[in-house]
Amino acid sequence: MNQKIDQKISLIVVPTTWVVAAIVTIVLWATKYDWMYYLIGICTGLLNFGLMMKTNRKIVRMSELYPDTAKIMAKRQAWIGVLLRILVFMGVFLAIFFKEVYQNPKQEDMWNLVIAFGGYATIKVVLIIVYLIFGRRVTE
């Protein structure tokens, strides 16, 4: 049952994030900012969200199959999932840092990193809003 709730949440969160991303990308394009980094941040956030949902499904499935060792397996899978998501985040943002900020220490190039982080944070904000709005309705 918990897995069905997570699927409903992701069916709301992912399309809403893409709609918000499209609107923000158009605004960034119109204001002559580098909108591509926002899309990189959005894709990184959605990838991490997908990895989180996959880890959650794996933990639920393993707890149903192996109830005796479910606690140990759940902790191990949760830590593996967190470490994988951190590696993805660090890899993408270190690449942006070394490509844009480190090579060009101008103040203008720092905004590309901020824009990418804004794209990454967009899915987190959408997820929190969806949980606040639809949290009770989805669980019923």
Side-chain angles (χ1 to χ4, degrees):
M1 181 166 170
N2 192 15
Q3 191 172 1
K4 291 180 182 178
I5 293 170
D6 290 339
Q7 288 174 353
K8 289 180 184 177
I9 289 292
S10 39
L11 288 176
I12 297 169
V13 169
V14 173
T16 306
T17 303
W18 279 116
V19 169
V20 171
I23 293 169
V24 173
T25 302
I26 292 170
V27 169
L28 287 173
W29 173 77
T31 56
K32 305 289 190 243
Y33 281 105
D34 203 354
W35 53 270
M36 188 61 70
Y37 289 100
Y38 183 78
L39 290 179
I40 290 171
I42 284 286
C43 290
T44 304
L46 286 171
L47 175 66
N48 278 349
F49 180 72
L51 289 172
M52 180 183 69
M53 298 306 274
K54 184 176 180 179
T55 302
N56 187 24
R57 284 193 302 267
K58 187 182 272 188
I59 289 171
V60 169
R61 187 175 59 239
M62 285 186 351
S63 67
E64 291 172 353
L65 292 175
Y66 308 107
D68 299 335
T69 60
K71 186 176 180 181
I72 296 169
M73 291 178 146
K75 283 183 181 180
R76 184 177 47 161
Q77 282 298 323
W79 279 108
I80 290 171
V82 167
L83 289 175
L84 183 61
R85 292 193 317 263
I86 288 173
L87 282 174
V88 168
F89 175 81
M90 293 299 290
V92 169
F93 282 89
L94 282 175
I96 293 172
F97 174 77
F98 283 118
K99 181 182 180 299
E100 292 297 323
V101 180
Y102 187 71
Q103 289 180 356
N104 306 318
K106 295 184 290 187
Q107 188 70 15
E108 299 142 3
D109 293 333
M110 182 64 138
W111 282 107
N112 292 335
L113 191 62
V114 173
I115 289 170
F117 185 74
Y120 181 78
T122 301
I123 189 164
K124 307 300 181 194
V125 171
V126 170
L127 182 64
I128 290 169
I129 291 171
V130 166
Y131 271 131
L132 290 176
I133 293 174
F134 297 108
R136 293 188 184 127
R137 294 182 198 160
V138 170
T139 58
E140 292 175 352

